[in-house]
């Protein structure tokens, strides 16, 4: 059976559009159309910035900057207060749609006046000597929906030593159900922005730092930590 060129393109295009499953960077709306495909004139240009840890900011001209967390699953973008379908996503184009309209975006360089205070890019941590002390999780996000929270494996506290202990470990991680003084994991080493841990299970985290916060990323989950005064 022959497939016409037009039909072949229709079959291939969705695969191209969903080649990437992660969102990042700054995007500015360039075109808006209604469900019938007619162009809509607009003045309230949308600007959306996808941040580390599945956070985002959403800004409409003349409105407020909203910040929240998002989940991207099977071509659907759940932003909490709004739910959109990802029609296309490449390095140069992002097309989102809802029941009201379809929104086309292109990457852009953020204007300084729109930047949130204290929002430098996170940098990989290279040495534990720069983050010695006790860090506690104050926020966690996930790129996918979590059906049931696993407290026993959810990070609660991370401690980094000034010097390796007698076993050569450089720190430890306590889970949500760990008794005081009985952490489930030891941090064996930090190399090229990656933490290698052992104990109840082997775990590997990407670790980066922004200002006074560190970010641990494991698969779809991200943990934000700070040092709090006791």
């Amino acid at each position: 059976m022959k497939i016409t060129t037009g039909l072949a393109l229709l079959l291939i295009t969705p695969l191209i559009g969903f080649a990437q499953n992660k969102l990042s960077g700054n995007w500015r709306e360039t075109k808006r159309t209604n469900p019938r495909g007619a162009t809509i004139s607009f003045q309230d240009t949308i600007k959306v910035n996808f941040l580390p840890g599945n956070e985002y900011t959403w800004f409409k001209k003349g409105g407020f900057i909203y910040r929240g967390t998002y989940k991207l699953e099977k071509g659907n973008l759940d932003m909490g207060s709004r739910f959109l379908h990802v029609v296309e996503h490449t390095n140069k184009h992002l097309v989102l749609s809802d029941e009201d309209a379809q929104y086309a975006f292109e990457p852009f360089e953020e204007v300084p006046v729109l930047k949130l205070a204290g929002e430098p890019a996170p940098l990989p941590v290279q040495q534990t000597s720069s983050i010695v002390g006790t860090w506690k999780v104050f926020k966690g996000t996930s790129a996918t929906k979590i059906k049931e929270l696993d407290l026993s494996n959810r990070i609660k506290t991370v401690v980094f030593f000034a010097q390796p202990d007698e076993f050569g470990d450089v720190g430890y991680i306590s889970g949500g159900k760990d008794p005081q003084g009985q952490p489930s994991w030891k941090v064996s080493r930090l190399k090229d922005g990656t933490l290698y841990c052992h104990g109840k299970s082997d775990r590997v985290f990407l670790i980066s730092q922004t200002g006074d916060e560190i970010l641990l990323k494991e698969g779809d989950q991200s943990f934000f930590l700070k040092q709090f005064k006791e």
Side-chain angles (χ1 to χ4, degrees):
M1 180 177 66
K2 293 184 178 181
I3 299 177
T4 64
T5 301
L7 179 57
L9 288 174
L10 286 175
L11 293 174
I12 293 171
T13 299
L15 297 179
I16 296 173
F18 296 115
Q20 297 175 322
N21 57 8
K22 297 294 290 183
L23 296 173
S24 63
N26 303 323
W27 298 85
R28 178 170 53 203
E29 185 184 12
T30 56
K31 185 178 182 180
R32 190 180 301 178
T33 56
N34 66 24
R36 297 181 300 278
T39 299
I40 299 174
S41 177
F42 62 94
Q43 299 294 326
D44 56 339
T45 305
I46 299 170
K47 295 179 180 179
V48 58
N49 184 9
F50 295 101
L51 307 168
N54 287 85
E55 291 194 304
Y56 74 90
T57 59
W58 178 282
F59 172 76
K60 264 192 174 185
K61 186 177 180 180
F64 298 97
I65 296 178
Y66 295 93
R67 182 167 182 154
T69 58
Y70 73 89
K71 293 177 175 61
L72 179 63
E73 293 185 299
K74 298 180 180 179
N76 294 314
L77 179 60
D78 185 353
M79 307 178 83
S81 60
R82 54 186 62 85
F83 188 86
L84 302 125
H85 178 66
V86 182
V87 179
E88 180 183 358
H89 177 214
T90 68
N91 290 333
K92 298 295 184 180
H93 299 283
L94 174 65
V95 181
L96 306 176
S97 68
D98 58 21
E99 60 183 10
D100 297 320
Q102 181 167 287
Y103 315 90
F105 297 83
E106 291 183 357
F108 80 106
E109 290 297 325
E110 183 68 275
V111 179
V113 70
L114 290 178
K115 285 188 176 180
L116 297 179
E119 201 64 53
L123 297 175
V125 178
Q126 301 296 340
Q127 297 179 333
T128 55
S129 59
S130 66
I131 51 173
V132 170
T134 301
W135 298 80
K136 294 187 177 181
V137 173
F138 67 91
K139 178 173 62 178
T141 62
S142 175
T144 57
K145 292 182 180 179
I146 300 176
K147 295 182 180 179
E148 186 175 350
L149 194 62
D150 184 1
L151 290 178
S152 63
N153 283 306
R154 185 173 176 80
I155 296 173
K156 181 175 65 176
T157 303
V158 181
V159 174
F160 293 104
F161 306 143
Q163 298 291 334
D165 64 11
E166 57 183 320
F167 304 105
D169 295 317
V170 296
Y172 65 78
I173 296 177
S174 296
K177 290 188 176 181
D178 289 351
Q180 184 71 25
Q182 299 180 39
S184 288
W185 300 275
K186 294 292 187 67
V187 181
S188 57
R189 61 194 174 101
L190 167 61
K191 183 179 180 181
D192 298 330
T194 303
L195 282 181
Y196 297 88
C197 309
H198 65 96
K200 184 173 69 173
S201 60
D202 291 333
R203 302 181 74 169
V204 177
F205 300 90
L206 297 179
I207 180 169
S208 57
Q209 185 170 16
T210 304
D212 61 350
E213 299 178 11
I214 60 173
L215 169 63
L216 295 183
K217 185 170 179 58
E218 180 186 38
D220 289 334
Q221 297 191 55
S222 299
F223 302 93
F224 297 79
L225 302 93
K226 279 186 176 182
Q227 289 184 309
F228 295 94
K229 293 182 179 180
E230 300 295 338

